[in-house]
Structures are given as structure tokens and as C-alpha cells.
Amino acid sequence: MKRFHVNLKVADLETSTRFYAEIFGAEPSVSEPDYRKWMLDDPRINFSIEPEGQCGQGTGVAHLGVQVGSEDELEDMRARIGKADAPAFHEGETQCCYAHSFKSWTRDPDGLVWETFFTDGQRRDYGKALELADTME
């Protein structure tokens, strides 16, 4: 089953954490000094926030995405990106955002970054964030 993913860059992590905890009626499922994530079932979304400046980005939408539940679903999403004639970067296995994942990236016609990924475990450190500027064909 797929889950919508939104990642925002925020000016003040603590203030935004309090705001979104109230909006969602839940505390983050991952709470690190530089990252918060809510894995919500109502609405079904993976919503995360990080401080601005990480990966050189200011505040606002960092990227949108679709989190899939299996490697087969990830392959299906990769095929869909190909059929959409969109630029693609298939990152593969990675550790980022306190998780071990397999990822692919694309941009929509207006340049908005989209991530599709399968996560098979949580990690204790953030890992390495991908610099997307020059990675997509």
C-alpha cells in the first residue's frame, strides 16, 4: 500500500513540531535534533520536517513523494516515471532521514522534486542527504 510523503524545510523546528503535533493530534514517530516525522494513518501520510539550510534549501516544500510498501511497488513506480517521460535518478540503496531505503527521484513538468521509495528499517543516524541539483537526466 502506498503512502503520500511530504518533506518541508522549516525556519524553527521546535515551533513547527508543536504546530504539526496539534494539527495532526499526534507527536512525531521520529524525533531527532534535526528531523521530525509523523507516520499517520488518518490522513495516510509520511510527513517530515527539517531545519532550513539542510542541503542548501530555504523554507518551504523540499520535495513530495510516494512511499511504497515493497520493492515490487518501487519497481512499478520506476516504470511509471519512465512512462511519464520525466527526468529520473535511480539512487538505489541509501541511508537518509534515519531510515534505510531504496529510492528513485524525478521532477514534475514545473521542476518540483518527487521521491519514490521503499523503507525497510529505521537507523540511529540521519545518514547522507542527496544533493539533487545535478543528478537527474
Side-chain angles (χ1 to χ4, degrees):
M1 178 181 289
K2 296 173 184 71
R3 180 185 301 261
F4 191 66
H5 170 60
V6 175
N7 178 268
L8 298 181
K9 298 294 183 186
V10 298
D12 185 303
L13 192 62
E14 296 305 322
T15 299
S16 293
T17 298
R18 286 190 300 277
F19 174 81
Y20 288 112
E22 287 298 327
I23 293 294
F24 296 139
E27 292 300 314
S29 56
V30 175
S31 184
E32 299 292 343
D34 59 349
Y35 183 81
R36 305 292 193 285
K37 177 172 71 176
W38 289 259
M39 291 290 284
L40 302 168
D41 289 324
D42 183 19
R44 188 160 173 76
I45 190 168
N46 169 340
F47 182 86
S48 60
I49 59 176
E50 302 173 295
E52 67 180 320
Q54 217 162 315
C55 299
Q57 294 177 310
T59 60
V61 175
H63 62 269
L64 301 173
V66 177
Q67 180 178 6
V68 299
S70 70
E71 291 184 58
D72 288 341
E73 285 184 333
L74 182 58
E75 285 303 318
D76 179 60
M77 291 301 296
R78 287 178 176 157
R80 290 173 186 233
I81 290 169
K83 288 179 185 174
D85 267 343
F89 174 69
H90 301 297
E91 183 177 7
E93 184 176 8
T94 187
Q95 181 177 331
C96 178
C97 307
Y98 300 93
H100 179 262
S101 302
F102 300 84
K103 298 183 178 190
S104 288
W105 300 84
T106 190
R107 291 186 189 275
D108 76 4
D110 294 309
L112 187 61
V113 174
W114 279 82
E115 169 189 32
T116 186
F117 62 101
F118 168 65
T119 296
D120 65 355
Q122 296 304 120
R123 298 294 185 253
R124 295 184 145 261
D125 61 42
Y126 186 91
K128 185 175 188 311
L130 179 66
E131 297 282 349
L132 288 173
D134 300 315
T135 57
M136 284 184 259
E137 305 164 352

